[in-house]
Each structure stands twice: as C-alpha cells, then as structure tokens.
Amino acid sequence: MTALIASILPVGVRYAEAFDDAVPAPLFPAEERLLTGAKAKRRGEFATARRCARDALGELGIAPAPLLRGPGGAPAWPPGVLGSLTHCAGYRAAVVARCERVRVLGIDAEPAIPLPDGVLGLVTSPGERAALAALAPGVHWDRLLFCAKEAVYKAWFPITGTWLGFRDATVEFDSTGAFRAVVRAPGGPGGFTGRWLAGDGLLLAAVTA
C-alpha cells in the first residue's frame, strides 16, 4: 500500500509511517534513557516514530543506530542527513533525505478535527483568520494551518538553531494541495513552500526544498 505521506513528498525523500504502535519497536539503551518516567502512551509513540526513522534511514543505506536529541530537543540525525518526525493520535511518521538532495525538510500530522476553542487566535493573525474563513468547506482549515506552521518550524530550526513563534510565519493555502509560508523572523529563509493532504481522518503537511 502506498504510504499516505508519499504524495506530498518530492523524489529523493525517504519515508516510513505507522498508524498504531502494534509492531514491536525496540529502542537502544541511550534512547531508553530519554524516556525515564514516561507513560506508556508516550513510550509507544516515541518508539514507533524511532522505528519509522530507522526504516526510512535504511532506505538511504544507513544502519540502525540511536536517534537521540540535539539542540532544542530536535532529533540528531546522522551526518549528511536531514529528517523530521511526527506523531499524533493514530499516526506516526519519519522522513529523511541526503543533504545534497534536500535543503530543508519538515513534516507534521494532526487529527482532522477543529482546534480547541481559543487556540486559533493565539497562532494566527487577523489576516490569516479572514483567509481561512474564505476557503471552501470540507477541510478543518484551522487545524491544517496549525499543522503547516508546525512543519515550517521543523524546517526552520535545523537551519537557524532559533525558535520560531506561530505568529512569525503567515501561511496561505492553495486548494490544489500547496501552501506558502512567509517568515518575518530574522536569521533564516524569508519563506517556505509545502504540500498538504487531508485524508483518513488526518491532516498532513510537508515542507521541502
């Protein structure tokens, strides 16, 4: 079966995904130490996402190894590799690519449900909210916007090593499945482009270049 995320990724990006934590996902001892005190749900998500990462890295010919945390808590990928992880209720995924093929890479997944009350106003500008209101019904655009901004941040941080606030990026959607993010924070790219997908009760966004 074709991976759900495959349709929004360019050639050269390897991926793996899972829809639950049923498949055993053993961790390296160094990864186990990152989970000290974690609850079962957190352990399952973490381990399955790491298994996805190892499967995707294997497509690049990279042997299994601990995937630990780097600066800011982001995954510390092997030298010469960019990657991104995501997990939400009912979905876990990893994407990786060689740095000579891809310059930026970030993904996020969210359940296809509205954002909780009050959240949209915290993560958007008035202009973004007006643009969302004008989009055709059938997609939870508020949650998709949140998803796209998370993907933008995951692409931004490895380049800059700095945090990016939700209101530092303005996202515009295209009904064909594309989006553009304009970033006003200094020290990095002024914008990103990406693809989005709604299906199987999920919203996915990927930023690549």
Side-chain angles (χ1 to χ4, degrees), residues 88 108-125 128-129 132 139-150 166-167 171 173 201 203:
C88 70
D108 193 61
E110 297 287 334
I113 56 176
L115 285 174
D117 290 345
V119 174
L120 185 62
L122 298 176
V123 301
T124 59
S125 66
E128 284 179 306
R129 294 193 290 278
L132 291 183
V139 176
H140 293 291
W141 295 108
D142 58 341
R143 179 75 71 162
L144 182 60
L145 185 141
F146 181 90
C147 182
K149 290 196 175 188
E150 286 282 347
F166 279 104
R167 291 192 177 184
V171 171
F173 291 108
L203 301 171

Side-chain angles (χ1 to χ4, degrees), residues 77-101:
W77 298 98
V81 171
L82 280 176
S84 186
L85 302 178
T86 188
H87 59 77
C88 70
Y91 191 76
R92 297 90 172 86
V95 296
V96 297
R98 296 283 184 185
C99 292
E100 62 264 24
R101 296 293 301 271

Side-chain angles (χ1 to χ4, degrees), residues 12-76:
V13 177
R14 307 301 183 183
Y15 51 82
E17 65 184 11
F19 295 88
D20 55 42
D21 302 319
V23 175
L27 296 172
F28 286 89
E31 293 172 326
E32 287 279 4
R33 289 193 287 272
L34 298 178
L35 291 173
T36 301
K39 295 183 178 180
K41 178 177 181 294
R42 168 61 179 154
R43 291 183 62 86
E45 293 172 342
F46 181 98
T48 302
R50 258 51 183 186
R51 177 175 62 79
C52 289
R54 282 189 258 283
D55 288 347
L57 288 166
E59 294 290 320
L60 297 179
I62 297 174
L67 183 58
L68 305 179
R69 295 187 184 122

